[in-house]
Amino acid sequence: EGVAETWDGLVRRLTAGPRSQLSSPSHHRGYAGQPSLATVMFSGRRYINLESYTAKGEARQTLLGTLEHDGLLYFRTDPKSGKVRRIQGNPHVRVMLSDRHGGFAGPWLEGEAHVLEGDEKDRVLAVFRKEYGAVGYLVVSFLGRLRGMPRMDGVVSIRLA
């Protein structure tokens, strides 16, 4: 009973926060018409801690800015980054809500990540542009360059298990 109360409290706290203008529980439904886990936990949240795995199975954690849309999490990155190479080698990931300083804000959740290409990638980049606005989109690209990522036109989707 204590665990159920804790989980209910977490879900209430998470759903009480700001929500993305593009995302709402009506966009993607989970079981029995309920919102997906990604929608409930990550809608309106900007940061996650992503855990991906090397070829040797070693975990690597990365703080990322994300966007929840239609029941999936998305993030932009340089398509040649280490996290993209790790995801291409092993799509199994874990994610956790985080604050912008990397502080943990929830339980680890299992998921599967995929690097998007073609029209699907372009569609999600348009969602990022709409969500962040033209200036915000360019600022994120500029900050990526400052961090040594010459391109921020790679997009990765994460479907939570």
Side-chain angles (χ1 to χ4, degrees), residues 75-84 115-117 121-122 125 137-138 140-155:
F75 65 89
R76 292 173 55 199
T77 189
D78 184 331
K80 295 181 180 178
S81 69
K83 61 187 148 296
V84 166
V115 179
L116 304 184
E117 296 179 2
K121 178 181 86 167
D122 294 340
L125 285 173
Y137 185 85
L138 291 173
V140 169
S141 297
F142 177 71
L143 291 174
R145 279 190 217 105
L146 286 178
R147 293 180 178 153
M149 292 184 272
R151 298 172 50 204
M152 287 291 286
D153 60 349
V155 178

Side-chain angles (χ1 to χ4, degrees), residues 56-135:
K56 294 181 179 180
E58 298 170 0
R60 296 283 191 266
Q61 294 181 6
T62 310
L63 178 65
L64 298 168
T66 62
L67 175 71
E68 181 278 330
H69 183 68
D70 287 344
L72 297 174
L73 297 177
Y74 297 97
F75 65 89
R76 292 173 55 199
T77 189
D78 184 331
K80 295 181 180 178
S81 69
K83 61 187 148 296
V84 166
R85 287 192 306 271
R86 290 189 299 271
I87 287 167
Q88 288 171 330
N90 180 359
H92 175 76
V93 296
R94 294 192 324 155
V95 298
M96 176 190 295
L97 279 172
S98 181
D99 63 24
R100 65 187 173 122
H101 303 292
F104 299 133
W108 283 106
L109 302 169
E110 307 289 325
E112 189 169 303
H114 296 282
V115 179
L116 304 184
E117 296 179 2
D119 290 341
E120 187 178 19
K121 178 181 86 167
D122 294 340
R123 180 186 65 80
V124 175
L125 285 173
V127 172
F128 270 100
R129 282 186 199 95
K130 186 173 181 180
E131 182 74 12
Y132 286 99
V135 173

Side-chain angles (χ1 to χ4, degrees), residues 32-50:
Q34 296 299 311
S36 73
L37 182 60
T39 299
V40 170
M41 291 191 70
F42 296 94
S43 182
R45 305 305 183 286
R46 294 281 189 219
Y47 299 98
I48 65 166
N49 192 337
L50 172 75

